[in-house]
């Protein structure tokens, strides 16, 4: 298309027009390459469509009806037209919008892209981007009118060297609209990974703007424009260039996070010595080529039965088996495991943990929505971790069971006193999960994880294995290539999906917590991670550290080993399970775009959350996001705690809660001392204390009136 446009221009127009058209095409493709590298294909395409379409529309309405910029008429200087507007003009709109956006992001956020913008931060970015673009226009417009004569103004005695001031107000309004819509609908989900290519891509917009600055300083007309451009364009150019230098050379300007230099590869060969020793003692010696464990299976079953009776945190120290007929060796093994595993770390801060519990209580069902649509999907990204879940179809065929198991750990941990209270049950639940991880390792490797290395061949037989234990032992594993199953990196990553992904989701929803609150949440999950067996070296204390480690682990995970990628089946099974809770057809597909929005398009593709949804569903989601963001942003200027975003995510969370966690026909396998407080907690979530009465009334119409009881409901 670009070649055809230039050939047609060369055929029918003079050399000046061809030169101008060529400059616009070159600038367009340079900015398109830069946008693709910095924003990703989806966001770059969205910005291009918005800038080209709205830029052309504004110019068409301006040249034909006098909207936005005042009354003017284009001449033939800029060549071929679409309607009344030369094709070069919308190309320039895209280029300048990309330039303004990147420079604004660098100046405000010290990065070339602003990820997950809130209403306020997105509006601020759009405003500064529009100012940067309009500063360019201060000198460009008089030159195009009085030197190039590219268009003729109906009013030639305006207040800006013959130009009308309305034109610059129009540039601000249209630029602000394009940038605001872009960030509301298609803002990049993640900052680009720094590399030479990405650094150059971020420098290109600054270079284009600087070229315009040099041109206007040397050749601006009238001569006053040269001094004006030096300051109006020079200041943002200088600030953006310095910000680019800081961003592209972080090692010179920032103190590395505690986990920044931790090598990841060695941790894939370390699992959990404490839990592995306990399971090794229960299983006993493995025998035969098939790895048969003989009486060890019975001891594992006994241990599982005994663990179900573990008391609250304060009673773990006195636990003695509780069964007169229990195998003394099994009890002794579990007793030794509890003595060491139940100890909280010295660095645990009770005030931060209690603050995190209060945040969980305040967010309530919203936390459940983020668990389903962010934390769990992100768990499936690591291919070897997904492979463990995939074995024997344990997640695809029993997705609800897996969800309920996860909730059975998360809720006891995050409820009041879950980790540090004597009456809480979080420590006991986490210690059970820790032993389950160790059991999985032993069964897959058919031996002690501290000793098994190399390739564990799959078991072959005429019949497919039945039961999860048999499927795990039959699967096979390559320790040298895949690391140990449920190794330290995978444990640390799982920890991040619960803490970091929840906080990232809050930011995406426009409900960002304070830095102190975010760090309190991360700290509480670190305490939980200690009980789970995660090494302190792989824990994070700030969101910046969490982002860096999360992305490092995802990048280092590599591709799946084997002919089948297990991740898409897991992601699709999760989406289908959530969709079954929604009764209204037009809303049934909402979990797909909601999850894609929260985890980002890249992750969504990896886990199979990329299937098409109906256009009414897409329209409802897109318009809903836009409208809710606009209303929230405006109302919060007067009522800071108001949020329709929280309202609708609470409604979704309610239906997930009643479907998966509080259905009396399928109660969670938790002790009564945990289930009863959990039911009381969920019942107390029936009203949002941050919302006015009319919003709570609207919520009641979409959920149920009064306390949220254990009655399954369906949306719609």
């Amino acid at each position: 298309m670009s070649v055809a446009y230039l050939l047609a221009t060369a055929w029918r127009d003079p050399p000046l027009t061809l030169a101008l058209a060529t400059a616009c095409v070159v600038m367009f493709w340079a900015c398109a390459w830069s946008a693709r590298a910095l924003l990703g294909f989806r966001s770059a395409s969205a910005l291009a469509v918005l800038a080209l379409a709205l830029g052309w529309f504004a110019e068409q309405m301006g040249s034909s009806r006098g909207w936005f910029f005042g009354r003017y008429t284009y001449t033939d200087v800029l060549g071929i037209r679409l309607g009344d507007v030369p094709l070069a003009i919308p190309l320039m709109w895209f280029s300048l919008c990309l330039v303004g956006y990147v420079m604004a992001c660098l100046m405000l956020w010290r990065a070339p892209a602003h990820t997950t913008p809130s209403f306020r931060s997105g509006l601020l970015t759009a405003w500064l981007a529009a100012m940067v673009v309009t500063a360019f226009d201060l000198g460009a417009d008089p030159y195009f009118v009085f030197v190039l004569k590219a268009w003729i103004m109906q009013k030639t005695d305006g207040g800006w060297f013959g130009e009308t001031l309305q034109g610059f107000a129009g540039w601000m309004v249209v630029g602000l609209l394009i940038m605001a819509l872009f960030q509301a609908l298609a803002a990049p989900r993640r900052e680009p990974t720094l590399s030479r290519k990405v650094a150059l891509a971020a420098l290109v917009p600054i270079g284009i703007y600087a070229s315009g600055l040099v041109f206007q300083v040397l050749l601006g007309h009238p001569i006053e424009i040269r001094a004006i451009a030096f300051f109006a364009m020079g200041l943002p150019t200088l600030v953006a260039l310095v910000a680019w230098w800081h961003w592209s050379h972080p090692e010179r300007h920032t103190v590395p996070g505690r986990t920044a230099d931790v090598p990841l590869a060695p941790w894939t060969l370390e699992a959990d010595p404490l839990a592995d020793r306990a399971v090794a003692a229960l299983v006993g010696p493995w025998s035969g080529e098939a790895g048969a464990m003989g009486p060890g299976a019975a001891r594992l079953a006994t241990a599982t039965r005994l663990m179900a009776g573990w008391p609250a945190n304060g009673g773990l120290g006195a636990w003695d088996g509780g069964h007169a007929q229990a195998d003394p060796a099994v009890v002794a093994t579990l007793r030794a495991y509890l003595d060491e595993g139940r100890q909280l770390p010295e660095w645990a801060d009770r005030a931060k943990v209690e603050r995190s519990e209060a945040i969980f209580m305040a967010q309530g069902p919203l936390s459940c929505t983020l668990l389903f649509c962010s934390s769990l999907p992100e768990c499936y990204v690591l291919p070897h971790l997904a492979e463990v879940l995939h074995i024997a179809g344990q997640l695809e065929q029993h997705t609800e069971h897996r969800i309920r198991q996860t909730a059975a750990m998360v809720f006891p941990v995050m409820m009041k006193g879950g980790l540090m209270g004597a009456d809480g049950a979080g420590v006991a639940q986490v210690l059970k999960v820790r032993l389950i991880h160790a059991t999985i390792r032993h069964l897959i490797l058919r031996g002690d994880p501290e000793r098994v290395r190399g390739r564990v061949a799959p078991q072959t037989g005429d019949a497919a294995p039945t039961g999860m234990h048999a499927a795990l032992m039959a699967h096979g594993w390559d320790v040298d290539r895949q690391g140990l199953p449920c190794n330290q990196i995978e444990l640390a990553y799982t920890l991040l999906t619960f803490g970091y992904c929840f906080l990232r989701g809050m930011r995406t929803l426009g409900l960002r917590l304070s830095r102190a609150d975010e760090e309190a949440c991360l700290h509480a999950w670190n305490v939980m991670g200690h009980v789970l067996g995660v090494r302190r070296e792989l824990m994070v204390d700030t969101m910046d550290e969490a982002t860096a480690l999360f992305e490092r682990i995802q990048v280092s995970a590599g591709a799946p080993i084997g002919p089948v990628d297990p991740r898409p089946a897991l992601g699709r099974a999760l989406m289908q399970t959530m969709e079954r809770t929604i009764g209204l057809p037009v809303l049934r597909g909402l979990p797909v775009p909601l999850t894609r929005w929260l985890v980002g398009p890249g992750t969504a593709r990896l886990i199979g959350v990329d299937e098409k949804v109906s256009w009414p569903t897409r329209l409802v989601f897109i318009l809903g996001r836009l409208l809710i963001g606009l209303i929230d942003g405006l109302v919060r200027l007067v009522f800071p705690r108001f949020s329709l975003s929280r309202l609708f995510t609470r409604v979704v969370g309610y239906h997930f809660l009643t479907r998966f966690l509080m259905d009396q026909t399928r109660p969670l396998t938790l002790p009564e001392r945990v289930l009863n407080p959990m039911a009381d907690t969920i019942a107390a979530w029936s009203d949002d204390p941050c919302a006015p009465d009319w919003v709570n009334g609207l919520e009641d119409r979409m959920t149920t009136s009064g306390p949220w009881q254990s009655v399954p409901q369906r949306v719609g």
Side-chain angles (χ1 to χ4, degrees):
M1 291 292 292
S2 298
V3 173
Y5 167 57
L6 293 178
L7 288 175
T9 301
W11 177 262
R12 63 184 293 274
D13 293 308
L16 174 61
T17 301
L18 177 61
L20 292 172
T22 301
C24 289
V25 168
V26 170
M27 188 164 65
F28 172 84
W29 283 111
C31 288
W33 174 81
S34 173
R36 175 67 176 84
L38 297 175
L39 310 178
F41 178 79
R42 170 181 168 275
S43 294
S45 300
L47 177 59
V49 169
L50 284 169
L52 292 171
L54 294 180
W56 175 85
F57 175 79
E59 297 286 352
Q60 177 66 26
M61 293 299 101
S63 58
S64 62
R65 303 190 180 187
W67 294 4
F68 303 112
F69 313 107
R71 292 193 173 275
Y72 59 98
T73 304
Y74 280 106
T75 67
D76 293 331
V77 170
L78 293 178
I80 301 171
R81 304 185 192 189
L82 176 63
D84 297 326
V85 182
L87 289 177
I89 294 298
L91 297 181
M92 291 179 63
W93 266 106
F94 166 71
S95 301
L96 290 175
C97 283
L98 186 277
V99 167
Y101 173 75
V102 171
M103 291 179 65
C105 289
L106 285 167
M107 287 188 280
L108 289 172
W109 318 117
R110 293 298 187 268
H114 182 34
T115 59
T116 61
S118 65
F119 178 84
R120 291 182 181 179
S121 66
L123 183 61
L124 180 60
T125 305
W127 182 268
L128 182 56
M131 291 182 69
V132 170
V133 171
T134 305
F136 171 88
D137 199 47
L138 289 174
D141 260 19
Y143 190 86
F144 270 79
V145 171
F146 299 112
V147 178
L148 296 179
K149 303 187 185 304
W151 59 85
I152 298 172
M153 300 297 300
Q154 181 173 320
K155 182 179 180 181
T156 58
D157 58 347
W160 184 260
F161 306 109
E163 275 276 358
T164 61
L165 296 178
Q166 181 185 347
F168 303 112
W171 273 81
M172 276 295 300
V173 170
V174 177
L176 179 65
L177 178 63
I178 292 172
M179 289 294 97
L181 285 175
F182 164 66
Q183 293 182 96
L185 299 177
R189 307 298 306 132
R190 293 174 180 157
E191 292 182 9
T193 303
L194 185 59
S195 64
R196 286 188 177 183
K197 174 185 173 182
V198 170
L200 177 60
L203 190 60
V204 164
I206 304 175
I208 291 174
Y209 200 76
S211 300
L213 165 64
V214 172
F215 182 88
Q216 292 190 32
V217 167
L218 296 179
L219 301 175
H221 177 84
I223 195 168
E224 292 89 346
I225 289 293
R226 303 179 186 183
I228 292 170
F230 180 79
F231 293 100
M233 295 180 66
L235 285 174
T237 301
L238 180 61
V239 174
L241 190 60
V242 171
W244 173 85
W245 176 261
H246 279 259
W247 166 76
S248 60
H249 297 79
E251 71 284 354
R252 301 189 181 189
H253 307 286
T254 60
V255 178
R258 193 171 45 78
T259 61
D261 298 325
V262 174
L264 301 182
W267 292 104
T268 63
L269 295 177
E270 180 170 336
D272 181 0
L274 173 63
D276 286 337
R277 287 196 301 269
V279 173
L282 293 171
V283 171
W286 294 75
S287 61
E289 294 181 1
M293 57 178 171
R299 288 193 292 270
L300 276 180
T302 300
T304 302
R305 187 172 64 255
L306 292 174
M307 285 190 296
W310 281 356
N313 299 341
L316 290 175
W319 180 80
D320 59 1
H323 290 273
Q325 303 301 320
D327 185 334
V330 173
V331 173
T333 298
L334 294 179
R335 177 69 267 159
Y337 169 72
L338 285 177
D339 286 341
E340 185 172 347
R342 67 186 178 86
Q343 302 297 328
L344 298 181
E346 294 180 356
W347 43 264
D349 187 325
R350 179 178 293 274
K352 288 183 177 180
V353 172
E354 291 176 348
R355 179 57 190 154
S356 179
E357 294 168 352
I359 292 169
F360 177 75
M361 288 296 300
Q363 301 307 328
L366 186 154
S367 304
C368 188
T369 300
L370 293 177
L371 171 67
F372 284 98
C373 297
S374 181
S375 297
L376 284 175
E378 290 282 13
C379 278
Y380 309 154
V381 171
L382 301 193
H384 308 319
L385 184 58
E387 186 173 346
V388 173
L389 298 172
H390 176 77
I391 294 173
Q394 288 301 303
L395 193 60
E396 297 96 317
Q397 298 173 16
H398 306 291
T399 305
E400 291 193 25
H401 176 69
R402 169 66 179 171
I403 291 171
R404 292 156 66 80
Q405 281 185 322
T406 303
M409 179 189 73
V410 172
F411 271 77
V413 166
M414 296 310 299
M415 287 193 305
K416 184 176 181 180
L419 285 174
M420 305 192 77
D423 295 331
V427 174
Q429 293 303 120
V430 173
L431 289 174
K432 294 176 188 177
V433 173
R434 186 173 181 178
L435 277 184
I436 291 172
H437 290 161
T439 301
I440 289 172
R441 278 191 293 273
H442 278 259
L443 294 175
I444 290 178
L445 300 178
R446 304 197 295 274
D448 188 343
E450 294 187 346
R451 300 180 181 180
V452 176
R453 292 296 181 268
R455 186 170 183 269
V456 179
Q459 289 184 350
T460 57
D462 296 332
T466 59
M468 188 178 71
H469 282 201
L472 289 168
M473 288 192 290
H475 183 69
W477 199 262
D478 190 334
V479 175
D480 294 338
R481 296 179 63 189
Q482 297 174 270
L484 293 171
C486 302
N487 58 60
Q488 278 291 319
I489 293 299
E490 292 170 348
L491 291 174
Y493 178 81
T494 302
L495 189 65
L496 287 169
T497 64
F498 291 125
Y500 165 68
C501 289
F502 163 75
L503 297 170
R504 188 190 64 186
M506 293 289 290
R507 291 183 174 188
T508 301
L509 294 171
L511 302 170
R512 182 172 183 159
L513 301 176
S514 69
R515 179 171 180 173
D517 284 349
E518 288 183 334
E519 292 178 2
C521 289
L522 291 174
H523 181 82
W525 283 106
N526 284 344
V527 175
M528 177 270 192
H530 173 87
V531 180
L532 189 63
V534 181
R535 293 290 296 267
R536 181 64 174 136
E537 295 91 324
L538 295 174
M539 296 179 188
V540 296
D541 298 316
T542 68
M543 283 294 285
D544 288 340
E545 288 181 1
T547 302
L549 181 59
F550 191 78
E551 293 180 354
R552 281 184 67 201
I553 293 176
Q554 285 194 336
V555 169
S556 67
I561 294 177
V564 178
D565 185 348
R567 297 173 293 181
L570 303 178
R572 289 169 188 147
L574 179 62
M575 295 301 106
Q576 292 165 7
T577 301
M578 287 192 287
E579 288 169 0
R580 285 196 291 270
T581 69
I582 302 175
L584 193 62
V586 72
L587 300 179
R588 188 169 294 137
L590 282 181
V592 172
L594 177 59
T595 300
R596 192 181 297 154
W597 181 41
L598 290 170
V599 304
T603 294
R605 283 193 299 271
L606 286 177
I607 64 173
V609 186
D610 54 359
E611 64 266 30
K612 300 294 183 182
V613 295
S614 66
W615 71 263
T617 300
R618 292 200 304 272
L619 185 63
V620 166
F621 182 74
I622 292 172
L623 292 181
R625 270 184 55 194
L626 184 61
L627 185 61
I628 289 171
L630 179 62
I631 294 173
D632 279 355
L634 292 175
V635 176
R636 281 185 206 156
L637 296 176
V638 182
F639 303 104
R641 302 178 71 188
F642 178 86
S643 176
L644 289 181
S645 176
R646 187 170 60 245
L647 164 66
F648 288 107
T649 47
R650 278 174 55 87
V651 170
V652 173
Y654 165 80
H655 290 279
F656 288 161
L657 281 166
T658 54
R659 163 78 180 189
F660 300 122
L661 307 184
M662 298 303 294
D663 186 346
Q664 293 290 4
T665 63
R666 299 168 300 163
L668 294 177
T669 55
L670 289 171
E672 289 296 323
R673 64 178 176 275
V674 179
L675 278 176
N676 291 335
M678 182 174 168
D680 294 340
T681 296
I682 293 176
W685 284 341
S686 56
D687 285 322
D688 182 358
C690 298
D693 291 341
W694 70 268
V695 172
N696 279 316
L698 180 61
E699 182 181 286
D700 287 344
R701 294 178 64 87
M702 292 184 283
T703 56
T704 185
S705 299
W708 288 0
Q709 302 297 333
S710 307
V711 180
Q713 302 284 332
R714 289 174 67 84
V715 177

